Every structure is written in C-alpha cells, then in structure tokens.
Amino acid sequence: WDGVAADVQRKLLLMAYGRGGGTGALHDDLDALEASLDDMQRLKHAALKLYGVAQTAGAVQLAVELQAFRSAPSVEGVARLRSLLDITQQHLEANGMLCA
C-alpha cells in the first residue's frame, strides 16, 4: 500500500502545483485571489479556497501567510504569497515529488 499511497500523494501534488512550470489549482486559486482584491466578498471566498488547497497540498507556510494576508489584503501580499508558492514548488520539484 505504501506505493499506492505515494502515487496518490504525487497525483494530488501535481493537481495542486502543476508540472514543470505549468499551473495547478494553487496557481489558479492565487490568480482568483488577486483578481478579487477589489471585492471583499469574492476575496474572502478565494482566500478560504486557497487556504484549503494549500493545507491539503502541504504548503504550510503559504497557508500561514494567507492568514495574515486576510487581515490586510494587498497587491504586495499577493506577491509574497506567489513567492512562497514558488519556493514550495521548487522544493517539491527538487525532491522529486512533482514528477509523473
């Protein structure tokens, strides 16, 4: 079962992060968050969705930073979230977690 569990985990990570610079759910949800900066109701929904995907995908630091972002949303905050997502994705790629 360990091989099956690892395969499932890898597939979930690929869905969340994308592959080889492609976009996955985290990137799409972060785009939606940025697009909703002028609408607090949409922003709240986008932030909750991104938080859930980040938690599921092991992007712990992104989830923590997202909590702070929710109290003071800004363009700079989105840039910080993107940076954390990129760092996490690079780490997972370097460790072979985002290969097919």
Side-chain angles (χ1 to χ4, degrees):
W1 283 103
D2 287 345
V4 173
D7 189 47
V8 169
Q9 180 185 27
R10 192 169 290 113
K11 286 178 181 174
L12 287 172
L13 289 174
L14 284 169
M15 286 177 13
Y17 291 94
R19 177 187 333 222
T23 62
L26 285 168
H27 296 278
D28 294 343
D29 290 347
L30 193 49
D31 290 345
L33 182 76
E34 184 173 26
S36 65
L37 279 172
D38 61 345
D39 182 334
M40 286 308 290
Q41 190 62 30
R42 281 182 39 221
L43 180 75
K44 184 178 176 181
H45 175 74
L48 285 173
K49 185 176 179 198
L50 179 59
Y51 181 79
V53 175
Q55 289 285 80
T56 302
V60 178
Q61 192 58 44
L62 178 65
V64 168
E65 190 69 25
L66 188 55
Q67 293 296 79
F69 172 86
R70 288 174 61 191
S71 65
S74 67
V75 172
E76 295 80 15
V78 171
R80 171 85 176 128
L81 293 171
R82 284 195 192 282
S83 175
L84 287 170
L85 176 54
D86 289 344
I87 290 167
T88 303
Q89 185 161 351
Q90 288 168 10
H91 173 76
L92 291 169
E93 287 172 354
N95 288 297
M97 294 300 296
L98 294 180
C99 57

